[in-house]
Amino acid sequence: MAAVVLLLLPVFCSALPQAKFEATQAQFMRVAQTAIQYLNYHQGSPSYLRNVVFLGKTSVRSIPGVGHQYFVGFYTKHIQTGQNLGKCSATVLYRKKISKPVIEISCTDNKGGDQIKEEDYRLYRKLQDASSPDELKYFANIGSSYIAWKESTENVGYVMREIKDAKKWLRDNTLEFDYTVLIDSDVSKNLSCHMHITWNLELPIKVKYECISEDTSAYGSGQESGSSPDYFFETNF
């Protein structure tokens, strides 16, 4: 559906007068970061996790009656290892009165698909037996990317600042994780969030969350799984 909206926009917009709209570099960086958070969650791969390093070509236009459409090019590295992962380009549409953006993103990959699958498989097998704080951080980054994308608006972005605690357990062939994380906003209230994440190589990753702002007022919520762990690993980062 998102692709259809973006494909039809040029036809729709050609008949409308174009209003001039300018954005700052900070705004373009916020848009690029939101696009990569969207990608991190939807890829659901710890080997593929990206972070924006610096911007390339950017532009924005105001579409009367619709909203603002951003075009951003940017370069990425793996969010934890620092490995160069190539260039991305994204089209991000913020519609009036609808905070969740419509995102189309494509990236060149310095890792092949088979390499990504192999690295994910090795991590999956390792986590079935043991885990380190760095390995658990992969899934905190995936879950916080989901929250940041869901809660972001055109003028507010989010990024994970700290992992307060983490738990992991194995249920059948599925790894499950619980986290408490602090997520910073660039302009508004910071969030404290609990996340429950399930990861099975054969299924898409799932994230459920509940957040409160630092003044303890309710902010966003998701449904808990309600299951108790067979065993768990705890750490402070």
Side-chain angles (χ1 to χ4, degrees):
M1 182 61 183
V4 173
V5 171
L6 291 172
L7 284 171
L8 290 177
L9 273 175
V11 177
F12 175 71
C13 296
S14 62
L16 295 173
Q18 297 297 302
K20 187 175 181 180
F21 175 77
E22 295 182 354
T24 64
Q25 285 295 99
Q27 175 67 0
F28 281 120
M29 180 60 79
R30 178 189 294 132
V31 172
Q33 189 63 44
T34 299
I36 213 68
Q37 289 163 340
Y38 167 88
L39 182 67
N40 284 342
Y41 167 68
H42 283 86
Q43 288 289 338
S45 166
S47 304
Y48 195 84
L49 281 168
R50 296 176 185 252
N51 195 29
V52 180
V53 182
F54 58 89
L55 294 172
K57 186 176 180 180
T58 59
S59 63
V60 62
R61 63 175 175 173
S62 179
I63 306 173
V66 178
H68 297 144
Q69 187 179 41
Y70 293 79
F71 303 90
V72 288
F74 50 93
Y75 296 84
T76 65
K77 288 185 177 181
H78 191 280
I79 199 168
Q80 287 180 226
T81 68
Q83 179 184 2
N84 288 320
L85 290 180
K87 184 179 180 181
C88 299
S89 59
T91 301
V92 182
L93 172 65
Y94 290 93
R95 295 161 291 177
K96 292 183 176 180
K97 299 182 180 180
I98 302 176
S99 61
K100 188 176 176 182
V102 178
I103 299 173
E104 285 290 308
I105 182 170
S106 62
C107 301
T108 60
D109 295 320
N110 291 340
K111 286 184 179 183
D114 289 341
Q115 181 185 357
I116 291 171
K117 290 179 181 179
E118 182 180 343
E119 290 179 4
D120 283 352
Y121 178 74
R122 286 202 302 266
L123 179 61
Y124 175 79
R125 291 301 301 269
K126 187 175 182 180
L127 285 170
Q128 287 181 318
D129 299 318
S131 55
S132 70
D134 281 346
E135 289 161 346
L136 291 180
K137 193 175 181 180
Y138 286 123
F139 299 92
N141 276 313
I142 292 175
S144 63
S145 289
Y146 175 72
I147 295 173
W149 163 60
K150 290 278 287 185
E151 301 295 342
S152 69
T153 68
E154 183 175 6
N155 299 309
V156 181
Y158 294 91
V159 63
M160 185 179 72
R161 168 166 53 95
E162 183 181 356
I163 303 171
K164 299 295 290 184
D165 59 72
K167 299 177 184 179
K168 180 210 74 177
W169 63 94
L170 178 67
R171 190 176 303 282
D172 298 325
N173 292 321
T174 300
L175 286 162
E176 300 192 28
F177 308 86
D178 272 339
Y179 296 94
T180 300
V181 297
L182 301 181
I183 298 178
D184 281 357
S185 164
D186 52 5
V187 296
S188 64
K189 295 174 182 177
N190 299 328
L191 306 177
S192 175
C193 301
H194 176 264
M195 305 185 298
H196 180 80
I197 298 171
T198 57
W199 186 47
N200 184 314
L201 287 175
E202 305 300 322
L203 299 169
I205 200 165
K206 294 182 179 180
V207 179
K208 297 178 181 179
Y209 73 94
E210 182 173 336
C211 295
I212 58 172
S213 64
E214 289 194 343
D215 66 358
T216 70
S217 60
Y219 192 85
S221 64
Q223 186 177 1
E224 292 293 339
S225 67
S227 58
S228 59
D230 298 320
Y231 70 92
F232 63 87
F233 175 92
E234 286 190 337
T235 183
N236 290 322
F237 292 80

